[in-house]
Amino acid sequence: MSDIFPVPFYSAPYGHIAGETISYSGWTSSLDSAAQTGDSPYYIRDLHYTPEDEADVIRILDSRLFPWILLTTFVLNMDRTNISNAISDNLPQDLGFTIDTINTATAIYSVLFSIFCLSGAVIAKIAGPSRWIPTLMFAWGLVTLAHALVKDKFGFITVRCWIAITEGGVIPATLVYLGTFYKGTELATRLAWFWGVQRVASAISGLMASGLLRMRGIAGLEGWKWMFIVDGTITVVVAVATWYYLPRDLTRTKGGLRGSKPWFNDKQIQIAVTRVIRDDLSKKSYDKRVQWSDIKDTLTDVGIWGHLIITVIGLTPSTPMHTYLPIVIQSFNFNVYVANALTAPPYLLQGIIMIFFVHNSDRVRERGYHGAFGAGWQLIGWILLRFLPSRTGRGIKYLAAVVLASWPYTHPLNIAWMSENTGSVGKRTVASGLIIGASNIYGIWGSQIYRADDAPEFKRGNTVNIAFAGVAFVLWFIQKYIYQYRNARNAQRYAALTEIEQLAEEEQKEAKGNSSITFKFTT
């Protein structure tokens, strides 16, 4: 797998603190005097290693750790997507309500999910991500199974609340976890795989649903209840295995399902730890818990607010798309089983396109224009779906839905962009919780875009989606300009300092993080 994740040896990391020198003469690396030995005994300030040595470490991570992370996110999205499949199998009618009740439950889900995103990031720093992730998985697996016991509106809303509470913290916990193993310049592509696998999960969920929904009547249960039973069972089994597989950190990789031998030898552990800290000096104290100052620093950072606004605006149309895609395809005159199967191609395409899209962003070292490209693709898709005449053939309508649903999802790019521009571990932890929360809070209003009185073509709703996608397209350019302006301003301020003042600023750059005028923002 490591061949898919190229390591940028020949370029200094971007989103980095200026003044740090990394010399590759003889392929050895060193930092300036500001980098003193940190909290980890495996961080060696003057450690020498070759690109091949580092590549071996990354290859081990990509082959032994990252696939399991992809498995956990696969299970997560399988359990998040199945509600749309259940709706297409007459879940509302079976329980005695309309899609407006679904919208209400989705809004409540969004609020709770967002709240527990922030708590999930903080708890992960206390309990340890390797323990918190499988604990949450096991809990939401049980709640997924509980869907089979639902008999009315109250029961449905209750299980949707609990699924939000148990699922909410797992993505921020995973982001915190990945940060202990990978450099910032390696994160965006891996996040693209992370969300790309979620799209694969959505595709497979649709294919599974097309078969499982046919079990309606067996043991007196509806087809959608059988689907929840199967999905919940898979989740519980994977959660137990995850508890015994995920290592706590780079230094403790043997035991459990990982095997009796550690993944790394002593030299590789030193390389694995040192390379991450050299990329981001704040990770010398990566286990440090979140302080109130981190929260204050996060909430007063205009850049982070820009990323949050891009998230809540740009992803709003995702709520009706993901909740009702099978219903929309079914309205093109396909039966329920075919409609669920036909959700697979656009989800698979989206995963593939997104991975290449984000990888190219890493390759050319650019974020803002790439994000605008993704937002523009989504905008075109909504315009197509909105303005196709009602008499258009179902093949053309389905093609428009494929174009829309396969847009290069910009969320992993946005997260990576924000992460590399935060400057400290505590701030990054809080910001990660906030942005994952923001990527779900939009469900409050997004859940109201498609209404029962606008079905089945949802012309009014798609007009609203066009407006949100158009604003998001503009916001990516604004965010890029903000970072360009901050870089130019910092350069001017630094140039105006005396030599003594510049030295003092260099000494304080680690403590100041991205508020230091030596910090170079990624654009």
Side-chain angles (χ1 to χ4, degrees):
M1 182 179 292
S2 59
D3 292 340
I4 304 174
F5 306 133
V7 183
F9 292 120
Y10 295 91
S11 301
Y14 60 115
H16 218 62
I17 296 179
E20 185 179 56
T21 47
I22 300 179
S23 172
Y24 289 107
S25 175
W27 291 111
T28 61
S29 304
S30 63
L31 293 175
D32 58 22
S33 59
Q36 300 300 321
T37 300
D39 297 338
S40 173
Y42 293 95
Y43 169 55
I44 310 299
R45 174 179 176 272
D46 295 318
L47 182 67
H48 294 175
Y49 55 87
T50 67
E52 290 76 17
D53 292 334
E54 186 175 16
D56 287 340
V57 169
I58 296 172
R59 189 174 298 112
I60 292 171
L61 291 173
D62 285 343
S63 62
R64 305 195 68 170
L65 173 73
F66 196 61
W68 201 279
I69 293 298
L70 295 182
L71 174 63
T72 65
T73 195
F74 178 93
V75 172
L76 171 66
N77 214 59
M78 180 182 69
D79 287 343
R80 295 183 69 185
T81 303
N82 55 23
I83 186 61
S84 65
N85 305 124
I87 293 169
S88 71
D89 191 43
N90 295 322
L91 177 148
Q93 293 86 337
D94 290 339
L95 298 180
F97 49 77
T98 69
I99 66 169
D100 290 344
T101 298
I102 297 289
N103 292 340
T104 300
T106 301
I108 297 172
Y109 172 96
S110 299
V111 173
L112 293 174
F113 194 101
S114 300
I115 292 172
F116 282 88
C117 275
L118 182 56
S119 65
V122 175
I123 294 174
K125 296 294 288 185
I126 298 173
S130 65
R131 290 294 175 260
W132 191 231
I133 291 170
T135 299
L136 290 175
M137 289 182 65
F138 188 82
W140 90 61
L142 296 180
V143 179
T144 299
L145 288 169
H147 281 72
L149 304 176
V150 173
K151 297 183 181 301
D152 53 27
K153 175 180 177 179
F154 175 77
F156 175 75
I157 293 178
T158 299
V159 295
R160 297 313 295 173
C161 288
W162 279 107
I163 202 76
I165 291 170
T166 52
E167 288 181 347
V170 71
I171 295 180
T174 303
L175 296 181
V176 170
Y177 187 60
L178 288 175
T180 66
F181 298 96
Y182 290 105
K183 292 157 58 173
T185 50
E186 300 160 358
L187 195 58
T189 299
R190 283 161 183 80
L191 290 182
W193 277 91
F194 183 80
W195 266 277
V197 165
Q198 289 191 11
R199 297 302 171 262
V200 174
S202 297
I204 293 178
S205 181
L207 294 174
M208 290 174 58
S210 68
L212 293 172
L213 297 180
R214 297 175 186 268
M215 296 177 67
R216 177 178 285 266
I218 297 178
L221 298 178
E222 294 83 354
W224 55 267
K225 287 190 176 181
W226 278 112
M227 182 182 63
F228 282 119
I229 289 172
V230 171
D231 288 353
T233 301
I234 293 173
T235 302
V236 169
V237 171
V238 173
V240 173
T242 299
W243 178 276
Y244 291 102
Y245 187 84
L246 290 185
R248 290 180 179 269
D249 53 42
L250 287 162
T251 66
R252 290 175 282 185
T253 56
K254 72 175 182 178
L257 297 178
R258 296 179 297 275
S260 59
K261 295 182 179 180
W263 294 353
F264 307 103
N265 58 38
D266 291 342
K267 178 65 179 294
Q268 288 175 326
I269 293 177
Q270 292 175 350
I271 294 171
V273 173
T274 300
R275 74 184 202 94
V276 170
I277 294 176
R278 283 180 177 175
D279 178 62
D280 185 346
L281 293 178
S282 66
K283 290 183 180 179
K284 285 194 297 183
S285 54
Y286 202 81
D287 291 331
K288 185 183 74 172
R289 297 180 181 179
V290 174
Q291 308 293 321
W292 281 112
S293 59
D294 297 319
I295 297 175
K296 179 182 177 182
D297 196 18
T298 303
L299 295 178
T300 55
D301 189 324
V302 65
I304 288 176
W305 278 105
H307 291 293
L308 298 179
I309 293 171
I310 286 174
T311 300
V312 297
I313 298 296
L315 300 186
T316 287
S318 299
T319 297
M321 182 196 306
H322 293 154
T323 305
Y324 296 113
L325 183 59
I327 290 290
V328 170
I329 295 176
Q330 193 176 354
S331 73
F332 302 158
N333 199 26
F334 294 102
N335 68 44
V336 61
Y337 309 117
V338 173
N340 276 281
L342 286 177
T343 62
Y347 282 133
L348 287 173
L349 277 174
Q350 185 181 48
I352 294 169
I353 292 170
M354 176 176 56
I355 289 169
F356 280 101
F357 161 77
V358 177
H359 171 63
N360 190 67
S361 174
D362 273 347
R363 184 180 64 84
V364 301
R365 312 289 179 134
E366 198 283 327
R367 301 302 193 205
Y369 294 145
H370 280 77
F373 174 81
W377 183 316
Q378 182 187 194
L379 174 61
I380 292 171
W382 285 117
I383 291 173
L384 286 174
L385 201 62
R386 167 63 179 83
F387 291 104
L388 280 177
S390 300
R391 64 181 179 276
T392 303
R394 67 179 185 176
I396 299 298
K397 286 184 177 180
Y398 176 67
L399 180 61
V402 170
V403 170
L404 169 62
S406 63
W407 73 289
Y409 190 59
T410 56
H411 191 44
L413 181 69
N414 193 26
I415 290 178
W417 195 12
M418 181 199 71
S419 179
E420 62 201 0
N421 282 342
T422 51
S424 73
V425 170
K427 188 173 182 179
R428 188 175 300 119
T429 300
V430 177
S432 295
L434 286 175
I435 200 166
I436 300 301
S439 68
N440 289 274
I441 196 67
Y442 63 79
I444 296 176
W445 53 88
S447 63
Q448 306 306 312
I449 293 176
Y450 279 4
R451 305 288 297 178
D453 62 353
D454 193 29
E457 295 186 334
F458 301 108
K459 295 288 189 181
R460 182 184 66 227
N462 288 338
T463 301
V464 174
N465 289 329
I466 289 172
F468 275 102
V471 172
F473 177 72
V474 175
L475 287 175
W476 282 94
F477 289 102
I478 294 175
Q479 185 74 356
K480 183 178 181 70
Y481 169 77
I482 289 173
Y483 282 136
Q484 288 175 332
Y485 170 77
R486 293 175 75 176
N487 281 339
R489 183 187 60 184
N490 286 346
Q492 290 175 352
R493 291 179 176 178
Y494 186 82
L497 298 178
T498 65
E499 185 175 347
I500 294 177
E501 289 172 332
Q502 288 179 350
L503 289 173
E505 189 66 34
E506 293 287 345
E507 291 175 355
Q508 299 176 49
K509 63 184 181 182
E510 182 182 347
K512 287 186 175 183
N514 71 349
S515 63
S516 170
I517 60 176
T518 65
F519 191 88
K520 179 71 172 179
F521 291 97
T522 306
T523 62

